[in-house]
Amino acid sequence: MLRSETGKTIYLNINEVYASIQGEGLLMGLPALFVRFQGCNLRCPWCDQPSALPFSKEQSVPIDSLLAHLSEYPIKHVVITGGEPLAQEGLTFLVEELISKGYFVQIETNGTLWQKGLERFAEQLHITCSPKWTANWFVHPKIIQYAKELKFVVDDVLSQDVLLKEEFRRLLEEGKVVLQPEGNKLVFFEKALNLQTALLKLGFTVRVLPQVHKLFGIP
C-alpha cells in the first residue's frame, strides 16, 4: 500500500467515484472519472452535493484501492471534486500518483484553501476555481496564481463588481471566466446573459454555460 512519510497507509475520505462527462466549465463534454471527496469547509445554500458536506471517515478508502479502481476505466481525465478537495490531507499524494500514471488531473475547488505540496505539480493541473460569497469571494493567492478557469455560480448575490475584482482580472482578460446559472434556472440564465453583455461593453468576454449533465439527467 502507498504510505505517507510517517509510514502510515494513506486513506482518502471518499463520497463517490464514477465515470461520466465533465458537465461544467471550459472542459465541458470530455469523458471523465470523478473522485468526490467527503467534507467541505463552506456551506453554500444552493449546494447540489449536500451529502458531501460533512467531514466523515465512514467511507475511508486506501489510496491504492482507489487507484486500482480508476485503472479499470479507459478514461485518463480525473476530476477531483467534493466537498472541498483541498481540505483533504491525502490530496497531494493522490495527485502525485495520478500524474505519475499519466492521468490529466482537474481539481474543482472553492478556492479558499491551498496545500503547499501541490506546488510541485501545479503547472500540470487544471484547477477550476469557483469563488463563493459564503467566503466573501476570498480566493487563496496560490489558487489565483495557478487556476486555469474561474467558474461563478450566477445566483441572487453575484454582481458585476465581484467579477471585476482585481484578483480575478487575469483570468477575465484571458477569457477564462464561466458564468453558470444556479440550478440551470431561467431567471439566472437571463441574469448571466446580462452580466455577459455588461462585461462585453468593458472589453471582456465570458462564457455562459449550464450544467449540461443535469440537462440530460446523467451523473
Side-chain angles (χ1 to χ4, degrees):
M1 286 188 177
L2 290 170
R3 297 180 181 276
S4 67
E5 294 178 357
T6 63
K8 295 181 179 179
T9 300
I10 301 168
Y11 285 84
L12 303 171
N13 298 321
I14 302 294
N15 178 271
E16 59 180 341
V17 178
Y18 61 95
S20 186
I21 63 169
Q22 174 54 280
E24 303 177 359
L26 298 181
L27 302 183
M28 181 182 291
L30 291 174
L33 292 169
F34 287 81
V35 177
R36 186 180 306 284
F37 277 115
Q38 184 70 43
C40 185
N41 60 321
L42 299 183
R43 292 294 183 271
C44 302
W46 35 251
C47 178
D48 60 359
Q49 298 296 333
S51 68
L53 294 178
F55 285 93
S56 170
K57 296 184 179 181
E58 292 181 5
Q59 294 174 274
S60 187
V61 177
I63 189 173
D64 53 352
S65 296
L66 172 62
L67 292 167
H69 178 59
L70 295 177
S71 71
E72 296 173 3
Y73 297 88
I75 301 170
K76 300 301 285 186
H77 178 185
V78 174
V79 179
I80 302 175
T81 186
E84 171 47 52
L86 285 149
Q88 310 301 319
E89 292 182 3
L91 175 63
T92 298
F93 293 103
L94 176 60
V95 168
E96 182 175 15
E97 287 299 314
L98 289 171
I99 289 176
S100 71
K101 296 179 185 303
Y103 287 96
F104 175 80
V105 180
Q106 180 178 5
I107 297 177
E108 296 182 336
T109 174
N110 60 41
T112 59
L113 305 173
W114 181 248
Q115 292 188 13
K116 185 175 177 59
L118 288 177
E119 293 184 31
R120 291 178 290 157
F121 324 105
E123 296 294 346
Q124 302 174 64
L125 300 174
H126 187 101
I127 296 177
T128 299
C129 175
S130 183
K132 299 296 195 293
W133 61 261
T134 47
N136 295 316
W137 308 110
F138 169 77
V139 176
H140 193 285
K142 288 294 184 180
I143 295 288
I144 290 294
Q145 178 180 346
Y146 294 117
K148 297 296 196 300
E149 64 178 306
L150 291 175
K151 182 179 65 181
F152 291 91
V153 175
V154 181
D155 59 4
D156 289 323
V157 179
L158 184 67
S159 69
Q160 180 178 313
D161 287 343
V162 170
L163 300 173
L164 292 173
K165 286 171 69 70
E166 183 61 33
E167 55 264 44
F168 303 149
R169 185 60 63 96
R170 174 183 68 85
L171 290 157
L172 190 61
E173 292 175 345
E174 293 176 0
K176 296 178 180 177
V177 171
V178 171
L179 303 182
Q180 179 178 291
E182 190 270 309
N184 289 339
K185 297 171 184 174
L186 179 59
V187 62
F188 296 130
F189 173 67
E190 293 173 344
K191 179 176 179 178
L193 290 179
N194 290 334
L195 287 169
Q196 183 185 56
T197 299
L199 290 169
L200 195 59
K201 292 177 179 178
L202 298 175
F204 303 114
T205 300
V206 300
R207 301 188 188 199
V208 175
L209 296 174
Q211 292 174 291
V212 72
H213 56 297
K214 292 190 175 181
L215 294 178
F216 294 104
I218 59 177

